[in-house]
Amino acid sequence: MAEKQFSGILNGAVLGEPVKTDKNSRRGNWGNQIEFILTSVGYAVGLGNVWRFPYLCYRNGGGAFMFPYFIMLVFCGIPLFFLELSFGQFASQGCLGVWRISPMFKGVGYGMMVVSTYIGIYYNVVICIAFYYFFSSMTNLLPWTYCNNPWNTPSCNGVVTPSGINNTLANATRSLVTGAAEVAVEVVNKSKRTSPSEEYWKHYVLNISDDIGNFGEVRLPILGCLAVSWVVVFLCLIRGVKSSGKVVYFTATFPYVVLTILFIRGITLEGAVTGIKYYLTPQWHKILDAKVWGDAASQIFYSLGCAWGGLITMASYNKFHNNCYRDSIIISITNCATSVYAGFVIFSILGFMAHHLNVDVSEVADHGPGLAFVAYPEALTLLPISPLWSLLFFFMLILLGLGTQFCLLETLVTAIVDEIGTDWIMKHKTVVTGGVAVVGFLLGVPLTTQAGIYWLLLMDNYAASFSLVIISCIMCICIMYVYGHKKYFKDVEMMLGFPPPIFFRVCWRFVSPIIISFILIFTVIQYKPITYNNYVYPGWSLAIGFAMALSSVICIPIYALYKIAKSEGNTFFERLKKSCRPDVKWGPALSEDRIGRYAAPGSEAEVDVRPLKEKEKEEEKRDEISLSIQGSNGSTAHNTTTPSV
């Protein structure tokens, strides 16, 4: 018995439940549960953990920000994560197929697909730039170290001077400090200093144009790296989760190795402690600021990947009885712990840089592309054997990005394959994957032009902003109130062997939707038109941004009206009621799991899905009527006086 239980744990089964051999041979399953957990960790842990969270923490009260951050994790992040995992696992369908639960809301699934498409397009462009920097780091001297390059301007002023190249280490250090002191004076005097890394980024890598409408030429090196990035993603997904599940053993774990190496190196540097203090020092008065709570809720919501469709898709390849409740807690906490850990790595290096420049850490702290491709690369030039640290840093960014990109592409492919559902497309899923990759590459080409960075930031700020919040809120309302919370709790109990804990039931019905609504209100109130450095986006580009945001949300009412119009009924309300009812195909995908109310009429499995207490009461009644005496044949006696709890 112990061996069976141990085997069940290894296979992701619920303890005490019989081990199921419920492999979906037609659609496929994860090779084992570790592959699912690593893939989900790779999906949730992305570039935002490195270039957004540390800056948010610093800006919103340091250590004090941790308090609202973890509050939001407990009451919003983990419950929503568990809801999406259980939703996809129960139906074994992607972000479109799961809406058999209430066909009128299938537009939510299409909205998720639109969001994943936008993110997948620009996310791979970020990865390709990381590839470019990775290749550029394969040299004895990082190209953004000095100001003596053709692309540099007269205002360029580096932290390292060329005269120190051939000197001894001591002379190099002295010249470094002297140069840093001169730079510090310039910073204090608020002169227009631009760093070599910033000019390398703007004038050489991007060759950025002066306006979002001025596309200029395609940057061929970036285009080539984009092709490399899409080829890597395609090859890793060539056999779906069977191949990506093996790749994540490396892509999901090695970033932690790199983070640890950079952390050890960072804390040994002079000024590192100052940087970490800036990162963590609590400013408790900021806890009363609504903006801090809004940032905490938004960061939890977006960093976990809720409402993208990826969580539903990844969980759909789980075995039916997998303990997704346990998985949701493990993955959510790992994601948030990674964000905190990355903050130590980033600010130890930035503290070192601030120390050499003799400026405040706030002068070098940044977020987004500014941190990854300007501030941090410049700090790396101060380190001995700087190309090595640069290679490690950008390799880590590549792996973090790929982990998320795998799931984004798989979300789209799975939705298409599940929706068509023919045997041919199931067997030729690789063709669909290749087609989606080619289309993604072509749509990403405009982002490799001289105006590409403007469009990338526009998509990042609008394509996946308030639309995700609306999609997530409607999903909660549909499952809890249209389908019915009692039905869903019974579904989860049938799948896991135990009902959702009372805490999650309360969060799903009340707390999480309220927090989601708070995020939406906060996003609207705090809205500011997007800018990039000193460039202000024109009105027409902002209109395109809002159109991208609305394009995913508009899918919901359009499909709802379409479904109501196609439903049977004489009146609008009859059609509305019909379109909200679960489809006959809703439920577990495999016939062996379709028991109780999901079983075919008259089958033996029809009686197996009633609540445990109800079944126990019937068994007790049968025992009382038969007055049978249990023998010593190994069967379990039922207690006729004290019901089981």
Side-chain angles (χ1 to χ4, degrees), residues 27-39:
R27 192 170 180 272
N29 286 105
W30 295 106
N32 58 62
Q33 211 48 39
I34 295 177
E35 293 180 5
F36 165 68
I37 292 177
L38 288 178
T39 301

Side-chain angles (χ1 to χ4, degrees), residues 111 114-115 118 458-459 461-468 470-471 542-555:
V114 172
V115 169
Y118 287 139
L458 185 72
M459 295 178 73
N461 280 270
Y462 289 92
S465 56
F466 66 86
S467 56
L468 284 176
I470 295 173
I471 288 171
L542 298 180
I544 293 176
F546 279 110
M548 284 191 291
L550 292 174
S551 63
S552 56
V553 177
I554 201 70
C555 294

Side-chain angles (χ1 to χ4, degrees), residues 267-481:
I267 60 175
T268 60
L269 298 171
E270 196 173 4
V273 174
T274 304
I276 293 175
K277 281 183 179 178
Y278 269 88
Y279 169 52
L280 290 180
T281 300
Q283 301 172 38
W284 295 111
H285 64 279
K286 288 196 173 183
I287 284 188
L288 301 177
D289 188 353
K291 186 177 185 301
V292 174
W293 288 84
D295 278 346
S298 299
Q299 178 63 12
I300 283 290
F301 183 84
Y302 294 124
S303 68
L304 288 176
C306 298
W308 292 13
L311 298 178
I312 293 174
T313 302
M314 294 303 104
S316 71
Y317 292 103
N318 279 333
K319 295 177 182 178
F320 184 73
H321 292 282
N322 168 64
N323 192 343
C324 57
Y325 165 66
R326 169 204 60 200
D327 296 342
S328 61
I329 295 176
I330 292 173
I331 298 165
S332 300
I333 292 178
T334 300
N335 173 68
C336 296
T338 303
S339 297
V340 176
Y341 187 37
F344 285 96
V345 177
I346 297 299
F347 272 85
S348 64
I349 299 289
L350 296 183
F352 165 67
M353 183 178 179
H355 172 77
H356 275 278
L357 286 175
N358 196 27
V359 297
D360 195 85
V361 178
S362 61
E363 296 286 340
V364 293
D366 203 348
H367 69 104
L371 171 66
F373 302 117
V374 177
Y376 207 85
E378 182 177 20
L380 293 175
T381 61
L382 295 169
L383 300 178
I385 324 177
S386 54
L388 171 63
W389 307 112
S390 183
L391 282 170
L392 286 173
F393 177 72
F394 288 110
F395 188 53
M396 178 187 69
L397 290 187
I398 290 168
L399 294 181
L400 288 174
L402 287 176
T404 302
Q405 189 68 14
F406 291 159
C407 296
L408 289 170
L409 186 61
E410 185 63 40
T411 297
L412 298 175
V413 173
T414 298
I416 294 170
V417 171
D418 284 348
E419 186 68 8
I420 298 174
T422 62
D423 290 332
W424 185 92
I425 202 166
M426 287 286 187
K427 292 179 181 178
H428 297 83
K429 186 177 177 181
T430 302
V431 177
V432 180
T433 305
V436 173
V438 170
V439 172
F441 169 76
L442 294 176
L443 292 175
V445 170
L447 302 185
T448 65
T449 62
Q450 291 177 263
I453 189 65
Y454 299 123
W455 289 100
L456 189 152
L457 293 175
L458 185 72
M459 295 178 73
D460 184 39
N461 280 270
Y462 289 92
S465 56
F466 66 86
S467 56
L468 284 176
V469 184
I470 295 173
I471 288 171
S472 187
C473 190
I474 293 177
M475 182 180 69
C476 283
I477 292 172
C478 173
I479 297 175
M480 291 295 108
Y481 297 101

